[in-house]
Amino acid sequence: MAVDVYINFNGNCREAVEFYAEVFGTEKPQIMTFGETPPDPNFTLPEEAKNLVMHTRLNISGSNVMFSDTFPGMPFVAGNNVSLVVNSKDMDEIKSLFHKLKEGGKVGMELQETFWSKLYGSVTDKFGIEWQFNHNSEEMAM
């Protein structure tokens, strides 16, 4: 299991991650935009979201740091735009930790399969810390 950092930006994620890649001398980041995600027939993607960064990551001195833009209409508060990500290959471990952290907290997304993970969910714990949980499998890794 690993705990990673996830940082959200308010429309300037691409600029930020390219800057960080240069500063830390990492490989050029692979960037997926919201417009590149698989279409959902139940949801029309707003035009202003299509070029925003849905996900990218850098390996900075052995630490996995992930980044994205906030989706249009979602709240963004500078300084509160960091969450912790639990990456695990053990689904039982993910379920156990998720259910313990949601006690007294607020679920952002129930554990479920997504196009990038067999099991993903998010919760803000009773102390206000946001946790994302991701089943880390080679076949669905991004």
Side-chain angles (χ1 to χ4, degrees), residues 43-55:
F43 179 75
T44 303
L45 188 66
E47 196 61 39
E48 66 269 23
K50 290 184 178 176
N51 291 321
L52 294 176
V53 175
M54 185 237 160
H55 179 77

Side-chain angles (χ1 to χ4, degrees), residues 44-69:
T44 303
L45 188 66
E47 196 61 39
E48 66 269 23
K50 290 184 178 176
N51 291 321
L52 294 176
V53 175
M54 185 237 160
H55 179 77
T56 187
R57 76 173 92 208
L58 296 175
N59 185 298
I60 300 174
S61 300
S63 294
N64 192 39
V65 182
M66 298 175 284
F67 308 84
S68 73
D69 282 311

